[in-house]
């Protein structure tokens, strides 16, 4: 294993100018707490694959510190490791000093976004998606309608028949192959603004955060979330002016755009008066819980962001917190569970989804090895870094126990990535969200009664 040593003076020269020249830069109190112990190295997927100190959490924190102190300039020696990071936060789970590596990485990417703006086709694509589509629910819905038209009109068969897909990169071909059937209506549009409690006394009001990818690709999961919440004493409200959470923008370094979206979400959800904000997408949930990080330079929204984030709960987290009715419908399946990084590492939610799954009669949960190692999805990492994402996906697929017929998880990005893995392995393993299994059990129980 070749380990590249980082040769730098530990002391910053007072004459050096920081390479981070824009607001919202990585803060000294975040990177200076790293004690270089190296506990994080062995859990870091990129370090495991590459064996390079620069591609480890410790190395990345050191590079960010050096750039911040002006001992390195913002060139590829810093930019590449910062963007090769999956932002999976596995390092944070084991770090004895509490170094917030993920937030440091995101802040460093914000500096790169200003210093080295993407140009050409890459810049156009980035601007189109980060600013032109994702912040606009109507445009996002149009993209969903186009995808549905592509699937239903026969165009898909035509494109496949002409061999056009073969000129696309392999990972895009695979994404096209596994794309779930796009529903005619998403939850943000289709659900009423207020859904009363379905059974028993009302425990609280929960505002449903529908998300962008989740609502275009997997709106069935949002519908299931609303049903399961209503079944367990939660009145569900669906604020119609909500936007995508902004996580993709934060991961890409476009923090100004993310801030703009966060402001609208904070206002819309606080005005709803809901006791909780429920989310079923791990990446979005982590972003919503960290909104305050976007406002630590300005006091206006900081307090509102903290208030907003204090209400955010993953659906599994909230059900266990307020209490849920154990379902009675049998679901005779043997499944395994994949811990989405932003659920287990960023939000520390591991037991709640397992508890819910184990409460389902007939369902057997078989644990997989290294269930909390990243599958390579990591937002759009599988599109921007297909080689590393592909290696991690292979490892994830190798770890799925034999004899299971489904794999459950709590994040749409992981669902799509593992669907690609299933497609590659040509298995009939089903990829499901945890809440879908719970909902199935409740629905079977209702049909029986
Ligand atoms: S575990 Fe934490 S303190 Fe130790 S090297 Fe890694 S980031 Fe630094
Ligand atoms: S966030 Fe993940 S990929 Fe990035 S340094 Fe930490 S463990 Fe490694």
């Amino acid at each position: 294993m070749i380990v590249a040593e980082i040769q730098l003076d530990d002391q910053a020269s007072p004459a050096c100018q920081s390479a981070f020249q824009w607001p919202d830069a990585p803060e000294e109190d975040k990177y200076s707490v790293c004690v270089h112990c190296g506990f994080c190295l062995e859990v870091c997927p990129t370090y495991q694959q590459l064996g390079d100190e620069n591609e480890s959490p410790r190395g990345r924190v050191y590079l960010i510190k050096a750039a911040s102190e002006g001992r390195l300039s913002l060139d590829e020696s810093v930019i590449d490791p910062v963007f090769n990071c999956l932002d999976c936060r596995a390092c944070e789970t084991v770090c004895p000093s509490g170094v917030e590596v993920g937030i440091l990485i995101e802040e460093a990417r914000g500096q790169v976004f200003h210093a080295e703006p993407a140009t050409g086709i890459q810049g156009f694509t980035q601007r189109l998606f980060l600013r032109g589509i994702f912040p606009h629910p109507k445009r996002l819905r149009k993209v969903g309608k186009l995808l549905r038209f592509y699937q239903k009109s026969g165009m898909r068969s035509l494109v496949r028949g002409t061999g056009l897909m073969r000129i696309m990169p392999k990972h895009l071909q695979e994404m096209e192959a596994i794309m779930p059937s796009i529903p005619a209506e998403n939850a943000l549009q289709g659900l009423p603004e207020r859904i009363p409690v379905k059974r028993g006394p009302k425990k609280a009001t929960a505002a449903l955060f529908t998300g962008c990818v989740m609502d275009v690709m997997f709106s069935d999961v949002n519908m299931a979330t609303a049903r399961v919440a209503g079944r367990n004493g939660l009145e569900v409200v669906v604020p119609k002016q909500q936007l995508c959470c902004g996580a993709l923008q934060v991961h890409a370094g476009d923090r100004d755009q993310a801030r703009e979206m966060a402001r609208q979400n904070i206002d819309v959800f606080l005005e709803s008066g809901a006791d909780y904000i429920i989310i079923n997408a791990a990446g979005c949930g982590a972003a919503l819980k960290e909104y305050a990080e976007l406002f630590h330079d300005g006091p206006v929204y900081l307090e509102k962001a903290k208030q907003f984030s204090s209400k955010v709960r993953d659906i599994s987290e909230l059900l266990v917190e307020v209490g849920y009715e154990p379902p009675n419908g049998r679901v005779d399946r043997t499944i395994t569970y994949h811990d989405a990084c932003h659920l287990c590492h960023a939000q520390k939610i591991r037991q709640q989804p397992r508890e819910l799954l184990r409460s389902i009669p007939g369902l057997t949960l078989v644990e997989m090895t290294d269930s909390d190692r990243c599958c390579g999805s990591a937002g759009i990492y599988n599109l921007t870094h297909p080689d590393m994402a592909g290696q991690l996906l292979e490892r994830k697929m190798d770890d799925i126990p034999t004899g299971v017929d489904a794999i459950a998880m709590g994040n749409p990005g992981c669902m799509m990535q593992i669907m690609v893995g299933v497609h590659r392995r040509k298995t009939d393993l089903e990829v499901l969200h945890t809440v879908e299994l719970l909902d199935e059990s409740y629905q079977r129980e209702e049909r029986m009664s």
Side-chain angles (χ1 to χ4, degrees):
M1 183 180 286
I2 300 165
V3 177
E5 293 292 338
I6 301 170
Q7 303 284 349
L8 292 166
D9 292 335
D10 230 5
Q11 297 303 311
S13 156
C16 289
Q17 191 188 37
S18 172
F20 298 147
Q21 290 293 307
W22 287 267
D24 206 13
E27 294 156 299
E28 189 184 353
D29 62 353
K30 287 203 177 90
Y31 57 70
S32 63
V33 289
C34 174
V35 294
H36 317 302
C37 65
F39 288 172
C40 52
L41 268 62
E42 292 309 321
V43 300
C44 173
T46 55
Y47 182 77
Q48 287 172 356
Q49 296 303 114
L50 301 169
D52 179 351
E53 173 77 18
N54 291 302
E55 301 289 356
S56 77
R58 182 174 65 183
R60 291 181 173 118
V61 172
Y62 205 90
L63 291 170
I64 289 169
K65 180 175 189 276
S68 193
E69 293 173 348
R71 288 178 290 123
L72 278 178
S73 49
L74 207 46
D75 58 22
E76 65 272 13
S77 66
V78 177
I79 294 174
D80 288 350
V82 159
F83 277 86
N84 291 342
C85 172
L86 295 139
D87 199 5
C88 71
R89 319 278 183 99
C91 44
E92 295 183 8
T93 294
V94 299
C95 176
S97 300
V99 179
E100 294 171 297
V101 180
I103 288 171
L104 279 171
I105 291 284
E106 288 165 1
E107 288 171 342
R109 288 180 183 178
Q111 298 298 304
V112 177
F113 190 84
H114 287 295
E116 302 283 337
T119 54
I121 186 74
Q122 195 196 348
F124 171 77
T125 313
Q126 195 179 62
R127 280 190 299 278
L128 176 69
F129 282 97
L130 297 184
R131 297 195 168 198
I133 294 180
F134 279 98
H136 306 281
K138 279 188 186 159
R139 294 182 198 168
L140 208 53
R141 276 203 291 278
K142 279 192 182 132
V143 171
K145 280 189 177 144
L146 280 175
L147 290 174
R148 185 174 159 80
F149 177 75
Y150 172 74
Q151 288 179 332
K152 303 283 173 197
S153 66
M155 195 186 280
R156 188 181 209 173
S157 316
L158 189 72
V159 168
R160 286 178 178 178
T162 56
L164 252 179
M165 282 312 295
R166 284 200 287 275
I167 62 170
M168 303 291 279
K170 183 176 171 240
H171 56 283
L172 286 183
Q173 290 181 37
E174 291 174 329
M175 283 287 176
E176 191 274 345
I178 59 93
M179 199 196 312
S181 186
I182 308 291
E185 200 171 43
N186 61 14
L188 186 57
Q189 266 183 310
L191 288 175
E193 277 191 50
R194 194 166 288 272
I195 308 166
V197 170
K198 194 164 182 196
R199 202 186 267 199
K202 176 179 159 185
K203 294 174 185 163
T205 304
L208 178 65
F209 195 95
T210 54
C212 53
V213 174
M214 184 60 96
D215 215 27
V216 170
M217 299 280 184
F218 301 103
S219 66
D220 291 350
V221 177
N222 277 339
M223 302 290 190
T225 302
R227 280 193 295 272
V228 168
R231 168 66 188 253
N232 285 290
L234 295 165
E235 180 187 43
V236 176
V237 294
V238 188
K240 298 292 178 179
Q241 301 305 315
Q242 62 179 284
L243 299 179
C244 152
C245 67
L248 292 178
Q249 285 76 3
V250 170
H251 292 172
D254 192 356
R255 295 173 72 81
D256 291 335
Q257 181 63 49
R259 241 185 304 277
E260 211 174 290
M261 294 154 77
R263 277 193 203 100
Q264 176 152 339
N265 282 329
I266 289 167
D267 287 340
V268 163
F269 278 87
L270 289 184
E271 278 164 21
S272 79
D275 305 299
Y276 298 103
I277 297 160
I278 42 170
I279 178 80
N280 50 32
C284 310
L288 299 179
K289 287 180 178 178
E290 291 172 358
Y291 265 178
E293 290 297 331
L294 291 169
F295 299 103
H296 56 70
D297 279 350
V300 182
Y301 264 81
L302 183 60
E303 282 313 309
K304 285 173 92 174
K306 286 180 181 169
Q307 195 191 345
F308 170 93
S309 296
S310 71
K311 292 171 182 261
V312 177
R313 302 283 190 283
D314 183 77
I315 179 65
S316 64
E317 182 183 22
L318 186 58
L319 289 174
V320 172
E321 186 176 321
V322 300
Y324 63 96
E325 194 183 322
N328 282 319
R330 280 191 75 80
V331 179
D332 289 304
R333 307 192 74 150
T334 303
I335 68 153
T336 191
Y337 178 76
H338 158 69
D339 283 284
C341 300
H342 281 87
L343 207 52
C344 68
H345 298 305
Q347 299 185 61
K348 313 297 178 208
I349 296 172
R350 290 170 186 263
Q351 292 315 316
Q352 297 93 326
R354 288 176 167 83
E355 179 184 324
L356 294 175
L357 290 169
R358 289 197 176 105
S359 75
I360 298 173
L363 189 140
T364 305
L365 175 61
V366 183
E367 289 290 349
M368 75 159 79
T369 308
D370 291 335
S371 63
D372 64 353
R373 191 186 53 240
C374 183
C375 64
S377 163
I380 55 166
Y381 190 94
N382 50 0
L383 299 178
T384 57
H385 296 73
D387 291 343
M388 176 60 73
Q391 290 174 38
L392 296 176
L393 178 57
E394 288 305 308
R395 292 184 68 185
K396 180 60 65 180
M397 297 308 292
D398 287 343
D399 287 335
I400 294 175
T402 50
V404 301
D405 57 61
I407 172 164
M409 61 207 75
N411 192 46
C414 306
M415 289 171 76
M416 291 187 67
Q417 175 79 341
I418 292 175
M419 282 174 180
V420 169
V422 169
H423 174 75
R424 279 188 193 169
R425 299 271 169 123
K426 298 183 172 50
T427 71
D428 53 5
L429 199 68
E430 208 175 344
V431 178
L432 295 165
H433 193 285
T434 306
V435 84
E436 288 182 287
L437 286 159
L438 195 58
D439 182 53
E440 186 182 339
S441 181
Y442 283 129
Q443 297 220 38
R444 281 179 188 229
E445 179 188 327
E446 275 171 30
R447 284 197 294 271
M448 286 182 319
S449 59

